[in-house]
């Protein structure tokens, strides 16, 4: 008979390590912060040894006190320092084909996989205090770097290889990890243009390539990148990160890295490794620094191999409020008013990467209430909100936007969020939902707010249905903010801002604006972070009538402006005058030909 394991709190009370009141206080704090109970107990002043002993009992794993136990040098030497630091793990001893490792989370599959690859051993994890592990890593590995051949690296003291270029975005630890991985791989790789698939698969399973692939992703997350581009060329492989909406070259790598690195990412995203003639899509789910990330991976064959692009989605991102997205107070209050409607459609429009989903989720976060039943269908679910039913599209299983929406109508919803209206069937069901007493939130790809009505008509939705259901449209763009560390004022003639809709009274008038000089913090770009530019079109009787009669876009836009709509360029001007961004940035993201 297997005895049931006691919970962490019950174990500590039974052992006399804590009182029932202390455990209750910690559990209340955990319910509020959603943090780790063990860490909360340590923060409350309880003995860490007792806390992690109890946690190990709860998890059913061994516990090691690193202040007493001394790891074996033979175990430490087979695990590189950067792997130990990355996962906060410490090798303890090697017993045949088994390597015993002290871990902050013995259930961390990613850490166990990396350890297995670098050590060629089966991993047996035991629990230890995270702080004890970190302290022990510092003592045992010391301050040695790649050039100094840190324990377990197997790297030469001076390899003479510097495949990195343009690497100002890569921090020292990541740079060392990447150099080490490439040095180790190049030591046994044949520098050739071999296109053999089997060779590529075998090489992709080598520990250096695994580390290189992981480090590229981890560095991108550190740099707040939204996308990673792995681009093969005739003689090299280029890596670029999209940060604050702009691509930056991070490094170039030798051509022999191309095949194994591409194969590694295709394996991670569950693509067909043998198919290299057609585009493929996949996903990678990873956990880094305590957060869950979902990477949408696209593989595109080209003249020199296959280009890999990964969109990084922070699945556990904490939703920010509408007041922090860059709305003016007037627009924010109008959007909040529209979102309180009992039925109708409220749309967000803009190009890919303009922040539409963030706006929709910020609205959902505000509307989330115990009295409301909120359901969403997305591809994929980018954020996770408690209290909301979220459905992810699964085309292979037959779960599409339209099929999910049909089911939603039988789930007694109050608010429905559709990730994107992509086809007529989805749009018609969304309109039907809005007509039958539901508030529908969704997104479209259009250049401005008035164009959304034309787009819906073009998809095949009847104009009278659009007029009857649409309550408002938010068009948006994301631009870069001026770096607060190197921000400086300067003056320009007011007439230079006329293109943004600024009214000029005196042609000689000067206006004070701001810009970033460029510093280490902003990577000498003058920008750090992003801010939204918005235009809100609220529907009224006049505009509804114009939609029904299919009036020209220019007339609809004029009616919207008469109803109080500020265009994207006008909202950009407000942000420029407030010192949040620059005229050049507004021009870059807002203006289009014929504007």
């Amino acid at each position: 008979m297997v005895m049931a394991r006691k919970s962490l709190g019950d174990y500590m009370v039974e052992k006399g390590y804590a009182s029932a009141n202390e455990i209750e206080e910690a559990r209340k704090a955990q319910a509020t912060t959603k943090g780790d109970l063990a860490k909360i107990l340590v923060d409350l002043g309880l003995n860490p040894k007792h806390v992690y002993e109890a946690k190990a009992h709860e998890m059913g794993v061994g516990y090691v006190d690193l202040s007493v136990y001394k790891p074996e040098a033979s175990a430490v030497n087979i695990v590189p320092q950067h792997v130990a630091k990355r996962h906060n793990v410490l090798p303890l001893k090697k017993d045949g084909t088994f390597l015993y490792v002290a871990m902050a989370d013995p259930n961390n599959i990613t850490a166990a996989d990396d350890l297995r690859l670098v050590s060629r051993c089966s991993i047996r994890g035991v629990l230890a205090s995270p702080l004890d592990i970190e302290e022990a890593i510092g003592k045992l590995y010391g301050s040695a770097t790649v050039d100094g051949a840190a324990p377990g690296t197997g790297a030469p003291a001076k390899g003479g290889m510097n495949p990195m270029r343009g690497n100002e975005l890569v921090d020292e630890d990541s740079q060392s990890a990447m150099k080490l991985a490439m040095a180790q791989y190049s030591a046994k790789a044949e520098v050739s243009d071999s296109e053999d698939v089997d060779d590529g698969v075998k090489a992709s399973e080598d520990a250096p390539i695994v580390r290189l692939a992981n480090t590229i992703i981890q560095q991108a997350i550190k740099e707040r990148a939204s996308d990673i581009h792995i681009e093969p060329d005739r003689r090299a492989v280029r890596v670029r990160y999209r940060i604050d909406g702009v691509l930056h070259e991070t490094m170039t790598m030798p051509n022999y890295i191309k095949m194994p690195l591409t194969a590694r990412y295709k394996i991670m995203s569950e693509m067909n490794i043998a198919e290299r003639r057609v585009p493929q899509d996949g996903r990678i789910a990873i956990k880094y620094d305590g957060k869950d990330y979902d990477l949408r991976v696209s593989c595109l064959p080209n003249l020199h191999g296959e280009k890999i692009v990964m969109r990084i989605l922070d699945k556990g991102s904490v939703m920010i409020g509408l007041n922090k997205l860059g709305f003016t107070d007037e627009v924010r209050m109008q959007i909040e008013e529209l979102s309180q409607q009992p039925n109708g459609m409220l749309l967000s429009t803009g190009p890919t990467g303009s922040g539409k989903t963030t706006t929709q989720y910020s609205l959902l976060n505000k509307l989330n209430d115990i009295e409301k039943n909120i359901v969403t269908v997305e591809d994929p679910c980018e954020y996770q909100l408690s209290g909301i039913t979220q459905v992810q599209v699964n085309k292979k299983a037959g779960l599409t936007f339209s099929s999910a929406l049909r089911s939603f109508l039988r789930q007694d919803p109050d608010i429905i969020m559709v990730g994107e209206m992509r086809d007529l069937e989805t749009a018609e069901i969304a309109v039907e939902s809005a007509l039958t007493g539901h508030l529908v939130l969704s997104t479209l790809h259009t250049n401005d707010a008035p164009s959304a009505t034309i787009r819906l008509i073009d998809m095949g939705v009847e104009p009278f249905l659009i007029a009857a259901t649409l309550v408002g449209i938010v068009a948006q763009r994301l631009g870069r903010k001026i770096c607060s560390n190197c921000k400086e004022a300067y003056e320009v003639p007011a007439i230079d801002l006329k293109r943004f809709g600024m009214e000029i009274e005196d042609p000689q008038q000067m206006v004070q604006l701001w810009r970033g000089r460029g510093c280490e913090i902003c990577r000498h770009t003058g920008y750090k972070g992003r801010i939204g530019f918005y235009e809100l079109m609220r529907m009224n009787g006049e505009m509804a009538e114009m939609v029904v009669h299919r009036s020209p876009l220019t007339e609809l836009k004029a009616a919207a402006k008469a109803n109080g709509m500020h265009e994207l360029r006008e909202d950009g001007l407000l942000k420029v005058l407030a010192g949040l961004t620059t005229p050049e940035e507004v021009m870059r993201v807002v203006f289009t030909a014929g504007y």
Side-chain angles (χ1 to χ4, degrees):
M1 180 178 177
V2 179
M3 298 295 291
R5 293 194 295 266
K6 292 182 174 63
S7 69
L8 186 155
D10 292 343
Y11 182 90
M12 293 193 68
V13 172
E14 181 183 280
K15 288 285 189 178
Y17 294 159
S19 67
N21 288 338
E22 288 173 320
I23 298 299
E24 182 64 25
E25 180 184 352
R27 283 174 174 160
K28 288 180 179 178
Q30 184 189 31
T32 303
T33 63
K34 308 297 183 185
D36 178 53
L37 182 60
K39 185 177 185 304
I40 292 171
L41 287 167
V42 172
D43 291 342
L44 289 175
L46 274 70
N47 189 325
K49 295 178 183 178
H50 294 161
V51 172
Y52 287 101
E53 176 191 325
K55 184 174 181 179
H57 174 83
E58 180 182 57
M59 297 175 69
V61 299
Y63 168 72
V64 61
D65 181 358
L66 292 177
S67 64
V68 177
Y69 186 88
K70 302 303 178 187
E72 297 177 358
S74 59
V76 174
N77 285 336
I78 61 175
V79 175
Q81 179 185 11
H82 69 87
V83 173
K85 290 178 66 177
R86 182 194 312 152
H87 297 297
N88 201 26
V89 297
L90 184 70
L92 301 175
K93 72 172 184 176
K94 187 175 183 294
D95 184 5
T97 60
F98 293 100
L99 179 67
Y100 290 85
V101 183
M103 307 176 71
D105 179 10
N107 293 329
N108 188 333
I109 298 174
T110 303
D113 186 45
D114 280 0
L115 288 165
R116 178 180 58 80
L117 287 167
V118 299
S119 67
R120 303 295 182 184
C121 294
S122 297
I123 305 302
R124 295 290 182 266
V126 296
L127 187 71
S129 162
L131 291 178
D132 285 352
I133 297 174
E134 190 175 336
E135 183 179 345
I137 289 172
K139 289 179 180 178
L140 290 168
Y141 286 95
S143 58
T145 63
V146 174
D147 288 338
T153 63
K158 293 290 180 183
M161 175 183 180
N162 184 19
M164 314 287 283
R165 179 172 64 81
N167 54 14
E168 68 277 3
L169 296 182
V170 185
D171 61 34
E172 187 175 344
D173 287 342
S174 298
Q175 196 176 125
S176 296
M178 292 177 185
K179 285 182 179 179
L180 171 61
M182 286 186 283
Q184 288 179 328
Y185 181 70
S186 65
K188 58 182 177 179
E190 294 183 5
V191 185
S192 67
D193 292 328
S194 172
E195 299 293 324
D196 187 273
V197 174
D198 289 336
D199 288 346
V201 173
K202 290 176 183 177
S204 73
E205 296 173 350
D206 286 343
I209 290 298
V210 171
R211 286 200 297 273
L212 176 62
N214 291 343
T215 304
I216 288 172
I217 294 174
Q218 291 162 0
Q219 182 63 27
I221 293 172
K222 287 181 186 178
E223 294 290 339
R224 303 176 296 105
S226 61
D227 301 87
I228 304 169
H229 291 242
I230 313 290
E231 303 168 317
D233 205 341
R234 188 165 63 91
R235 296 187 178 181
V237 180
R238 179 171 66 171
V239 179
R240 293 193 290 173
Y241 294 157
R242 186 176 295 279
I243 302 173
D244 293 335
V246 177
L247 282 168
H248 298 266
E249 183 170 329
T250 307
M251 70 195 83
T252 58
M253 298 178 289
N255 199 43
Y256 55 78
I257 295 289
K258 174 179 65 178
M259 279 289 291
L261 186 62
T262 300
R264 179 60 187 167
Y265 284 130
K266 290 175 76 172
I267 290 170
M268 292 172 70
S269 54
E270 299 182 351
M271 295 181 190
N272 182 353
I273 194 71
E275 180 56 75
R276 300 170 57 208
R277 299 166 299 174
V278 297
Q280 296 185 68
D281 294 308
R283 286 185 184 151
I284 302 173
I286 65 168
K287 188 168 187 175
Y288 177 71
D289 198 22
K291 288 186 177 181
D292 291 317
Y293 295 88
D294 186 32
L295 276 62
R296 287 188 285 181
V297 186
S298 173
C299 180
L300 180 69
N302 62 21
L303 288 175
H304 305 291
E306 295 172 281
K307 176 176 177 177
I308 300 285
V309 175
M310 292 175 274
R311 166 65 57 89
I312 302 173
L313 304 175
D314 182 355
K315 298 184 72 173
S317 177
V318 177
M319 298 312 305
I320 56 180
L322 289 171
N323 59 330
K324 296 181 181 179
L325 293 180
F327 290 110
T328 62
D329 290 339
E330 179 186 1
V331 171
R332 178 178 54 80
M333 288 189 291
Q334 290 176 358
I335 290 176
E336 290 178 354
E337 180 184 339
L338 291 174
S339 67
Q340 297 298 326
Q341 301 294 317
N343 58 273
M345 283 200 307
L346 180 57
L347 303 179
S348 294
T349 73
T352 301
S354 59
K356 301 186 297 296
T357 303
T358 301
T359 299
Q360 295 282 307
Y361 262 99
S362 296
L363 274 171
L364 285 183
N365 197 39
K366 183 173 181 60
L367 294 170
N368 194 3
D369 187 274
I370 194 68
E371 298 178 354
K372 293 186 176 72
N373 178 22
I374 304 176
V375 290
T376 76
V377 55
E378 306 158 71
D379 183 22
C381 293
E382 297 189 21
Y383 302 113
Q384 296 180 4
L385 281 179
S386 60
I388 291 179
T389 302
Q390 296 174 259
V391 176
Q392 184 158 303
V393 166
N394 186 341
K395 294 179 180 177
K396 291 182 180 178
L399 180 58
T400 62
F401 280 105
S402 54
S403 63
L405 273 173
R406 288 194 194 94
S407 298
F408 284 178
L409 297 179
R410 296 189 289 272
Q411 289 282 317
D412 185 33
D414 296 298
I415 300 171
I416 298 173
M417 198 272 269
V418 185
E420 183 183 341
M421 289 189 186
R422 300 184 177 183
D423 52 53
L424 175 59
E425 187 178 12
T426 302
E428 285 181 334
I429 300 172
V431 168
E432 179 186 338
S433 303
L435 279 172
T436 53
H438 308 97
L439 177 64
V440 177
L441 307 178
S442 190
T443 66
L444 276 176
H445 290 283
T446 63
N447 287 331
D448 55 22
S451 297
T453 59
I454 308 299
R455 171 70 179 131
L456 287 172
I457 293 173
D458 184 58
M459 288 171 65
V461 181
E462 292 292 342
F464 72 90
L465 292 176
I466 300 172
T469 56
L470 199 57
V471 296
I473 305 166
V474 181
Q476 60 187 85
R477 300 287 191 279
L478 283 178
R480 292 178 292 177
K481 293 175 65 175
I482 298 173
C483 174
S484 58
N485 185 64
C486 59
K487 186 176 180 179
E488 64 178 10
Y490 70 106
E491 288 192 340
V492 299
I495 198 168
D496 287 355
L497 302 178
K498 189 174 182 180
R499 71 182 73 178
F500 299 98
M502 185 172 181
E503 296 182 2
I504 309 299
E505 296 180 358
D506 181 4
Q508 304 301 317
Q509 179 185 354
M510 301 295 289
V511 178
Q512 179 174 278
L513 302 180
W514 288 261
R515 62 190 171 196
R517 290 190 309 274
C519 63
E520 293 293 332
I521 292 177
C522 64
R523 300 177 295 277
H524 301 285
T525 63
Y527 301 97
K528 185 172 177 61
R530 291 200 282 181
I531 191 170
F533 307 132
Y534 304 93
E535 70 179 24
L536 171 63
M537 185 177 95
R538 292 179 302 158
M539 294 293 290
N540 59 17
E542 179 188 358
M543 284 186 284
E545 193 72 20
M546 295 175 74
V547 171
V548 171
H549 290 94
R550 301 176 186 255
S551 298
L553 182 60
T554 53
E555 294 182 13
L556 186 60
K557 184 179 290 188
K561 294 192 69 172
N563 194 39
M565 181 185 83
H566 292 286
E567 294 181 85
L568 285 165
R569 60 175 180 170
E570 294 171 329
D571 190 58
L573 175 63
L574 293 177
K575 268 97 180 185
V576 167
L577 296 177
L580 298 174
T581 189
T582 63
E584 293 78 15
E585 189 64 10
V586 177
M587 285 283 293
R588 183 181 72 85
V589 300
V590 169
F591 279 74
T592 56
Y595 198 102

